[in-house]
Amino acid sequence: MIILVTGATAGFGRAIALELAAAGHTVIASGRRRSRLDQLAAEAADAAGTLVTRALDVTRSLAVGETIAEIERNVGPIDILVNNAGLALGLAPAQSVELDDWENMVDTNIKGLLYCTHAVLPGMVRRDRGYIINLGSVAGNYPYPGSHVYGASKAFIHQFSRNLRADLLGTRIRVTCLEPGLCGGTEFSLTRFKGDADKAEAVYRGTKPLTAEDIAQLVAYLIGLPAHINVNQMELMPTCQAFGPFAVSRT
Ligand code: NDP
Ligand code: 8X3
């Protein structure tokens, strides 16, 4: 199958691209950092499948449309889109964040995912074949301090995924929102804390978080399910993570 993975230069996307190329698929790994894409291609050189790369910033709607059209011309019709590119910026309360950070999260997590989906959907419907896997998060299902726009962007992805299913009823196109909790070993927290490696490392200290490879295995599992099964959403956490009590402010 031909699979486009966004945000494949690090973390989940990278692991998903490697896992699926190893399983024999044709993977188009995309992201903004060209040097990382080159490293990935070299790493997958001996894979059972094929891994090709495309430099792509998902916030650029024109470039997304052109790149996806070019991929479909030169590599083939995209069977599976893994909308993985995304980021959290900051953990400060809503009242003290930079507006730029909110805009960046909306542009990447929401609009970027929409641009990619919009570009692949007509072809998938025409072929009556396709699977869209969106990276949501537990942050879209439960509030926590400092999550504001990040969590809201993931709630958007959760509901957008379900609404896609409503529109795609009667086609053979599947849609899943994959919603992980605490996951270590990626650049997620480094990005959230704007390069502060100590802060990023402290998030995972003393925990056994999920790993990018766990997520890649789940994606491979979803792809391998019989065509009549659609997993609408899949929420997971590491065993060391659970829920907190409601917070109450007392005078
Ligand atoms: P990483 O920071 O490790 O990777 C993020 C990827 O997104 C990078 O490859 C980055 O590539 C890419 N990216 C960011 N902005 C853009 C853009 N404008 N255009 C194209 N690519 C972009 O994060 P994770 O692997 O941890 O996270 C992947 C996804 O999973 C995200 O959507 C995240 O919200 C979600 N998630 C993460 C969890 C976690 O705990 N780690 C838990 C739940 C969900 P580049 O900079 O080269 O463009
Ligand atoms: C990433 C998980 O808990 O940091 O989506 O929001 S969390």
Side-chain angles (χ1 to χ4, degrees):
M1 272 183 288
I2 300 182
I3 304 171
L4 172 61
V5 183
T6 67
T9 57
F12 295 179
R14 182 180 175 282
I16 292 166
L18 287 172
E19 174 86 24
L20 298 181
H25 298 290
T26 297
V27 176
I28 303 101
S30 69
R32 291 169 301 180
R33 285 170 288 178
R34 182 77 257 175
S35 59
R36 291 287 191 91
L37 292 174
D38 292 343
Q39 280 169 25
L40 189 61
E43 219 172 310
D46 297 329
T50 308
L51 188 149
V52 297
T53 62
R54 293 291 185 276
L56 180 64
D57 180 341
V58 296
T59 66
R60 298 179 56 216
S61 62
L62 217 60
V64 169
E66 285 171 1
T67 303
I68 287 177
E70 180 276 321
I71 290 167
E72 298 210 316
R73 260 194 326 273
N74 294 323
V75 184
I78 294 168
D79 297 307
I80 300 172
L81 167 65
V82 183
N83 270 320
N84 164 76
L87 77 178
L89 291 169
L91 197 59
Q95 58 273 28
S96 55
V97 303
E98 300 289 336
L99 186 57
D100 272 0
D101 286 348
W102 278 4
E103 285 186 340
N104 195 343
M105 288 188 276
V106 169
D107 287 348
T108 311
N109 302 358
I110 297 181
K111 290 168 81 176
L113 179 140
L114 293 181
Y115 298 152
C116 294
T117 305
H118 191 262
V120 299
L121 258 187
M124 285 185 175
V125 170
R126 224 175 15 254
R127 296 185 293 275
D128 197 14
R129 171 189 171 86
Y131 195 170
I132 298 176
I133 298 179
N134 293 327
L135 260 297
S137 166
V138 293
N141 302 338
Y142 312 99
Y144 66 81
S147 175
H148 36 81
V149 167
Y150 177 67
S153 74
K154 294 300 180 180
F156 175 94
I157 294 171
H158 172 94
Q159 194 63 10
F160 179 63
S161 304
R162 295 162 74 101
N163 285 341
L164 276 179
R165 289 229 60 234
D167 285 350
L168 292 167
L169 182 67
T171 75
R172 288 187 292 176
I173 299 163
R174 295 185 286 175
V175 183
T176 296
C177 191
L178 187 51
E179 301 167 355
L182 186 74
C183 183
T186 79
E187 296 176 359
F188 178 82
S189 290
L190 198 62
T191 299
R192 170 170 255 175
F193 297 120
K194 303 187 176 173
D196 186 331
D198 290 339
K199 263 191 175 173
E201 193 260 327
V203 172
Y204 311 101
R205 200 170 296 147
T207 72
K208 188 169 170 45
L210 302 170
T211 67
E213 287 68 31
D214 296 333
I215 305 303
Q217 280 174 26
L218 284 177
V219 169
Y221 164 78
L222 289 169
I223 287 173
L225 284 173
H228 69 284
I229 301 177
N230 191 99
V231 176
N232 297 333
Q233 72 216 53
M234 183 184 266
E235 183 190 286
L236 61 145
M237 288 177 175
T239 310
C240 66
Q241 185 178 32
F243 313 97
F246 286 118
V248 179
S249 167
R250 299 178 199 278
T251 53

